Each structure stands twice: as C-alpha cells, then as structure tokens.
C-alpha cells in the first residue's frame, strides 16, 4: 500500500517456545534498542531469530484449497510486509513487530449476533480442525505472494455466533495500542485498522481465519495471533492481529476506504481490468521471481479464484471496485 500524502500465538502447551529461544529474542531486541547492530546484521539477526522462536502449528493440507503455484520462500513472506502499525517500510514489521504481545489475546465477536462471544487463542485453535491452504495473495501495489496459511473457514466461527437477520456485513478491527505499535504515531490512517466484508463474502469457504503459516503460528509481522485472508481481494482487505469481529446492518467504514475512497473501494476484488488511479492492475510481480529478465505475471480476475464470481452476479464491478 502506498500513501498519497504524508497525510496456536498462544501455543498449545506442548509447543511453548523453549526458554533459550525466547531469551535469544530478548537479547536481539535489547541489542536492537541499543543500536548495537548494523543494518545487514539487523536483518540477518531478525530473520534468524524470528525463524526459531515460533511454535509449531500442525495443520492438515486441504487439497481443495491448494494453489498449483510454488510457495513463496518463508524468508520473503516474513521480511516484506505491510503492517503500518509497525512502520511504513516493507522491512519495518519484521524488525519492529517483536513488541507485539500476542499472549494473552482475546477476540470479541458481537454486534448483530444471537450468541456474542469472547474467545482466546486456545479456544480459536480448537474451534475447528486447522487446515493448511496455499493461497495467492495480491497486493494493490502490484506484487503477490503464495503462502501456506493455517486456519479454517471463517464461516466455522460465524456459525457459532448465529448472526441475526439484520447482519449484512462483518467488520474486523485490529489492535491499536501505541505502547506496542510504534507506527500508530503516523497519521497515514485513522487507527484502528478496520476492514470489512459483506456477510456472504465472509461466509464463503475460501475466506480463512488464519492462526499460522508455514506450519508455525503466525509471525507477528504477518498478523499474529489471528487474522483473516481473503485471497480474491487485494491484500489490504486481509486485516491482521484482529481483536474484534462485529456483525452490522450497514457497510462498515474501513480504514483505507475512509482515507482515499477513490483509490480503495469497499469491495476491492482483484480485477485486472480496473486500474487503481496510480497503478495498473493488469500484471504483478511475484515476490521471489524478481530476476532482471523475469516477466511480470498477468493478474487474473478474482486473483484466479473464479468460484467467487457468483457473489457478484449482476453487479458492475467497475462501479463497485
Ligand atoms: N492489517 C493491518 N492491521 N495493518 C496493515 O497495515 N496491511 C494490509 C494487510 N493487512 C495491513 C493489514 C496489506 S496492504 C497487505 S498487502 C497485507 O496485510 C500484507 O500481509 P502480509 O504482510 O502477511 O503479506
């Protein structure tokens, strides 16, 4: 995302991070705070440190949701991130998101539902079988990745709270704690980060409530401890580090749509025929395929998930971008 103006992470008890790894992370962060690491060492240390300190999250591969594409290297997926709560540069979340405290963590699910709930991460981990799904995710900035996420259809959770007849939309709110998130000082968005879906989009089995990736709990920079992944929409719809899921009768006011409605529509389905005012959406750069002679890939309608087309039958997707 570019700006126009300057204007189980609660692991299963058998999988708790060993103390040495936790301490090595602390050591790394202390050195980082003291300015004792060079830029190159900083990146290497952040990557190495991050890779060892996450709990495993076993997940059964669901072949029905496994893209034929090659997965992006974990080092790329965890070092090239958009998570503005930790800074605006792609490398900021990896280096700075260590301050995010993901335990204890609860998600409040309320609004137009018959059975409002507050769930901690252990309860979310147990709510449905954890599946691994290899999804393409395309950012409106023109790059894409392919990530093996771990989680289950958001519909599993939605069924538990029993939306009322008034529920037409679902709003997702990210944590906004300045003590943990240095990026909240930036005025680029009005915090907290909020995203939304129509209820039928949220119920579509492709919409994933994700608790992990690459067989581990989510790294902080990728939205620990729980986020959504909506693979047929531009990446900004996939809100990270969610603390509240609210069912509403009216369309939620979402973060990017509020700041630049002509650039970021509520729907934001991947659509190669509708350009963003500043970027064509016809092609994309797959992270990891960045060789000098590498051709960009053609972007596919709905990011190559045609099964969602029926959600939009009769809608003009140029108007409802
Ligand atoms: N969620 C929050 N809370 N804050 C953000 O800045 N960035 C979005 C989305 N979710 C963002 C967010 C954007 S623009 C993208 S492309 C994806 O997260 C990136 O997810 P990834 O870093 O795991 O690849």
């Amino acid at each position: 995302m570019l700006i126009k103006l300057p204007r189980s992470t609660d692991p299963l008890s058998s999988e708790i991070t060993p103390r040495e790894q936790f301490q090595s992370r602390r050591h790394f962060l202390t050195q980082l705070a003291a300015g004792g690491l060079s830029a190159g060492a900083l990146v290497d240390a952040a990557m190495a440190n991050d890779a060892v300190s996450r709990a495993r999250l076993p997940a059964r591969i669901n072949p029905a949701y496994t893209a034929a594409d090659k997965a992006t290297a974990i080092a790329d997926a965890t070092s090239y991130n958009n998570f503005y709560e930790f800074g605006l540069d792609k490398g900021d979340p990896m280096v700075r998101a260590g301050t995010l405290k993901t335990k204890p963590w609860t998600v409040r699910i309320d609004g137009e539902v018959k059975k409002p709930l507050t769930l901690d991460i252990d309860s979310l981990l147990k709510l449905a079988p954890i599946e691994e799904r290899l999804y393409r995710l395309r950012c409106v900035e023109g790059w894409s990745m392919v990530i093996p996420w771990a989680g289950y259809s958001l519909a599993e959770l939605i069924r538990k709270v029993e939306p009322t007849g008034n529920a037409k939309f679902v709003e997702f709110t990210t944590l906004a704690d300045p003590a943990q998130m240095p990026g909240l000082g930036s005025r680029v968005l009005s915090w907290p980060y909020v995203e939304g879906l129509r209820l039928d989009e949220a119920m579509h089995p492709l919409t994933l409530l994700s608790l992990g990736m690459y067989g581990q709990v989510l790294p902080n920079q990728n939205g620990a401890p729980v986020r959504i992944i909506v693979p047929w929409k531009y990446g900004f719809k996939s809100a990270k580090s969610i603390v509240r899921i609210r069912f509403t009768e009216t369309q939620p006011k979402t973060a990017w749509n509020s700041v630049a409605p002509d650039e970021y529509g509520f729907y934001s389905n991947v659509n190669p025929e509708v350009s963003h005012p500043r970027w064509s959406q016809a092609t994309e750069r797959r992270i990891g395929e960045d060789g000098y002679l590498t051709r960009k890939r053609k972007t596919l309608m709905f990011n190559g998930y045609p099964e969602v087309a029926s959600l939009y039958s009769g809608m003009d997707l140029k108007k409802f971008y």
Side-chain angles (χ1 to χ4, degrees), residues 227-241:
R227 71 177 298 181
I228 52 157
I229 302 292
V230 195
W232 72 94
K233 292 179 179 278
Y234 293 116
F236 69 91
K237 298 293 294 180
S238 293
K240 296 179 167 182
S241 304

Side-chain angles (χ1 to χ4, degrees), residues 1 80-85 137 139 143 145 147 149 174 193 221-222 227 235-236 238-240:
M1 192 75 54
Y80 190 87
N81 301 101
N82 277 335
F83 200 169
Y84 277 12
E85 288 85 339
L137 193 67
C139 184
W143 51 268
M145 293 197 198
I147 295 183
W149 301 103
T174 294
Y193 193 99
Q221 60 267 40
N222 293 87
R227 71 177 298 181
F236 69 91
S238 293
K240 296 179 167 182

Side-chain angles (χ1 to χ4, degrees), residues 236-264:
F236 69 91
K237 298 293 294 180
S238 293
K240 296 179 167 182
S241 304
I242 292 170
V243 289
R244 187 171 183 199
I245 300 177
R246 189 168 70 100
F247 292 74
T248 61
E249 193 165 2
T250 52
Q251 187 174 300
K253 283 197 171 32
T254 56
W256 282 105
N257 183 251
S258 300
V259 81
D262 49 335
E263 300 200 9
Y264 307 108

